[in-house]
Every structure is written in C-alpha cells, then in structure tokens.
Amino acid sequence: MAKSRGVQGKVPDFGVFFAVLVLLGIGIIAVFSASQYFAQYAPYNDSLHFLKRQSLNALIGIVGMLFAMKIDYRWFQVLALPGLIISIVMLVVVLALGGTRWISLGFIQFQPSEIAKVALIIFMALILSRDPERLQSFSHGFLPCLGLMGLVCGLVVIKDLSTSIVIAGTCCVMMFCSGAKWSHMGFMFALGVVAFIAAVWVEPYRMARIFAFLDPWSDPQGDGFQTIQSFLAIGSGGLTGVGLGAGSAKWYYLPERHTDFIFSIWAEEMGFLGGTIIILTFLFFVWRGFMVSLNLKNNFQSLLALGITSMIGIQALINLCVVVGLFPVTGVTLPFISYGGTSLAISLTSVGILLNVSRYAKTTGD
C-alpha cells in the first residue's frame, strides 16, 4: 500500500474502500431495477423516484464517510459517552411516540436504532480497550458490558428484533475477542436465547414468522408468501439470470422487493453468478476489515475496526439467510444494497470510521 512518512500520511485500506464502492454501485442499480415498475404508479408517479432517493442517500452517506475518515480518531473516544447517551434518549423517545421506529424533524426523519448500533460499538471499544484484564471478572468487567448491551438491545427489540440481534451479535464478537471467558460467553448465549424466545412469544406476528420459517408452504398466501416468492425469484434466475430489468418477481409478487428482499430480485435478474459477486464482495470486505483490526496496535482502534466490520458482516449474513430461507423473515436490510436512508448513511459513515483507523494499521515493511 502506498504511503508517505508518518501515520497521517498513510492512505486508508483500499480493499475496504473498493468493496464498499462495488456494493454501493450494485445497490443503486438493483434499487432502480427493483422499484421502477411500481414507482411509476401512485403515490409516486415517477419510475425514477427510488433511484433519485437512493442516489441522494448514497451522496449523504459518502459525505459522512469522508468526514469520518478525515477527522482525528481520538474524537471518537471523546464523543463515545455523549453519543451513546444521546442515542439511548432517542430510543426512549421512539418508544414514547408509539407505533413507529422513526423520529421525524419535518425536513428529515431517521431511525435511532441505526445510530445506536454505531454509538454502542464506539463506546464498547473504548471501555474494553481501557482495561482488557477487567473483562475476566464477571461482576466488575463482564456484567457491566452485558448490562449495557442489554439496555440498548432491550430498548431496540420492542420495535425492531432484527436490529437488536445485529447489536447483540456485534457486542458478543467484540467481548469474545477482548478475552471474555468461555463460561461467561456461554452464560450470555443462554441469556440471549431466553431473551429471543421471550421477544418472539410476546408478539404474535413474530411467532407466526417462526412457524412460516419452519414450513412456509403451510400458509403460502399468508406468512409464508414472502419466503416462497423469494425462492421462486432466486430459482428462476438460474446461472446467468433473466437479464437486468427483466425479472418478474418485482411485479407485485415479492413484497419489500427494493429493501429486505432486494437480493432475490438481483439473483433473478443476474443469476447465480450475479448473486455470487455480492456474496464474495461482502466476504472480501469482512476479510479486509478483520485484517485491519489484527494489524492495529492500538486496542481502541482495533476493537473499533472489529466492531464495525462485524456489524456489517452480521447484518449481511442475516439478510442473505432470510432470502434463502435459512432464517425467519426479520426485516433487516442488506448493507449498501437495499434501499434506505438512515441505514445507508450510517453504514457508509461507519465505513469512514473503519477507513480512518485503517491508516494506522501495520503493513508490510512497517
């Protein structure tokens, strides 16, 4: 990797940057292809509606990525606690508003759970890096981290089970890699299973999704409809697909075609080869992110890179498992690919943080 003298002269990891640009480019194309037919009718009346919105979202996210990439990484340490407190307050506000996941300020609306994901990662990286040995103690190290994770996940899960799973999975990876004991991790896993069962049990629609996951053909016109239509779309794509823009699943057959199930549309139109490109690009991104983490000497930077990489990797894995029927329908989007405002902007800004600390990674010849 080309670099000049001094840490500040080193360029960010090109592999991470390249992978994100590829996924973002595919995403804009996929969103347009998946949305153009239904967007031309009311209430949108413009086949380019979602293409325009996604392009704007991507532009906002790229600005956030460039800003996060350029500032001194120590600002993340300074803002870790205030950022977490603000995100928790916003989650409480969402609960107070009732049946919505969004906060609207008139000119803009955003999803606090997406902000909370990154805020918790930054704060966890800070506290885990300050005293790694403390995590060995259940009461003084592990339990406070578990309680913090439980607080954020508890506030999120009431409205959004899938995001809470991403948050919990990311924190687990960070705590395990920080040296948490196997026995403590086992306790956390068992607690997580109980929490998941409880979250599903109290919401009938979540229980229905579990049954639909086990046998989607038992209710092909109801809870199993999305999964079956996803199977049909992916299966009809074959090796090379039916052609970009020529898929039929988006003609009101597959719900959430431009968000949660956008991979199904892409696989139908671009085939097994097109789907493989997305999967391999995500794998490459995760590999490069983990390599950045391993080559950082600063514990805070390393855990920050690990957390961001894990967050995006886990979210992508869950989405891909959902569309191929390996996981119940959850509502989690595919990072950089699915249509979305807050999710895309936050994902790109998070990558900016990863690129920021990647400048400090040890490279060959250092």
Side-chain angles (χ1 to χ4, degrees):
M1 183 182 297
K3 60 186 179 69
S4 61
R5 291 182 178 180
V7 172
Q8 294 298 330
K10 295 179 67 172
V11 298
D13 188 90
F14 178 75
V16 170
F17 184 72
F18 173 76
V20 170
L21 285 186
V22 170
L23 292 170
L24 187 61
I26 291 175
I28 291 175
I29 295 171
V31 165
F32 172 60
S33 180
S35 65
Q36 59 175 318
Y37 287 102
F38 72 90
Q40 64 184 319
Y41 301 105
Y44 308 110
N45 299 315
D46 180 7
S47 62
L48 302 179
H49 174 81
F50 289 97
L51 174 63
K52 296 174 183 176
R53 294 291 298 270
Q54 186 72 346
S55 298
L56 177 60
N57 294 335
L59 180 60
I60 294 171
I62 290 173
V63 171
M65 180 177 69
L66 294 175
F67 176 77
M69 183 174 65
K70 291 294 184 180
I71 67 174
D72 191 322
Y73 83 91
R74 285 170 292 193
W75 276 106
F76 300 127
Q77 295 175 309
V78 173
L79 298 174
L81 180 58
L84 181 63
I85 293 174
I86 292 172
S87 66
I88 290 175
V89 170
M90 288 192 296
L91 290 175
V92 173
V93 170
V94 165
L95 294 180
L97 291 176
T100 180
R101 298 180 183 180
W102 304 83
I103 291 179
S104 178
L105 300 178
F107 64 95
I108 188 174
Q109 65 175 9
F110 58 93
Q111 205 166 354
S113 59
E114 294 291 333
I115 299 173
K117 284 193 301 186
V118 181
L120 183 58
I121 288 173
I122 296 173
F123 188 77
M124 287 285 285
L126 179 63
I127 61 175
L128 289 174
S129 63
R130 282 183 170 175
D131 189 4
E133 297 299 325
R134 192 173 182 179
L135 195 61
Q136 297 293 310
S137 169
F138 182 81
S139 58
H140 294 92
F142 184 82
L143 192 58
C145 291
L146 180 61
L148 180 61
M149 181 188 77
L151 172 63
V152 176
C153 288
L155 291 171
V156 172
V157 75
I158 298 173
K159 299 284 186 181
D160 192 348
L161 176 60
S162 56
T163 299
S164 68
I165 294 175
V166 174
I167 293 172
T170 302
C171 290
C172 286
V173 172
M174 295 178 70
M175 292 168 69
F176 177 74
C177 292
S178 296
K181 293 181 178 179
W182 281 97
S183 57
H184 296 169
M185 295 301 297
F187 171 78
M188 182 164 60
F189 178 77
L191 197 62
V193 171
V194 173
F196 176 80
I197 293 173
V200 171
W201 186 265
V202 298
E203 291 288 356
Y205 79 91
R206 291 174 180 168
M207 183 66 72
R209 286 180 174 181
I210 296 294
F211 287 126
F213 160 68
L214 297 174
D215 184 12
W217 285 273
S218 64
D219 189 11
Q221 296 299 318
D223 292 312
F225 184 78
Q226 290 187 96
T227 301
I228 293 174
Q229 292 301 319
S230 179
F231 289 163
L232 293 173
I234 295 173
S236 63
L239 180 63
T240 58
V242 298
L244 186 63
S248 59
K250 59 195 176 189
W251 297 345
Y252 296 94
Y253 291 109
L254 183 60
E256 311 300 335
R257 60 193 72 82
H258 62 308
T259 54
D260 303 352
F261 284 85
I262 195 166
F263 181 83
S264 304
I265 301 298
W266 180 262
E268 179 189 23
E269 297 186 346
M270 305 304 290
F272 175 80
L273 295 179
T276 300
I277 290 174
I278 288 181
I279 294 172
L280 290 179
T281 306
F282 271 115
L283 288 174
F284 178 75
F285 170 85
V286 171
W287 171 68
R288 287 306 310 168
F290 284 162
M291 290 304 297
V292 167
S293 177
L294 288 171
N295 287 291
L296 285 164
K297 296 180 180 179
N298 181 288
N299 285 339
F300 172 73
Q301 295 174 344
S302 180
L303 287 169
L304 197 54
L306 174 68
I308 291 171
T309 303
S310 299
M311 175 189 73
I312 293 173
I314 290 171
Q315 183 169 329
L317 178 63
I318 292 176
N319 178 274
L320 293 172
C321 285
V322 166
V323 299
V324 298
L326 296 178
F327 203 82
V329 175
T330 61
V332 67
T333 56
L334 187 59
F336 314 117
I337 306 291
S338 297
Y339 173 79
T342 310
S343 59
L344 181 59
I346 294 299
S347 294
L348 287 171
T349 303
S350 301
V351 170
I353 299 174
L354 175 58
L355 291 170
N356 185 317
V357 298
S358 73
R359 295 180 299 145
Y360 300 82
K362 181 181 178 181
T363 57
T364 304
D366 285 350

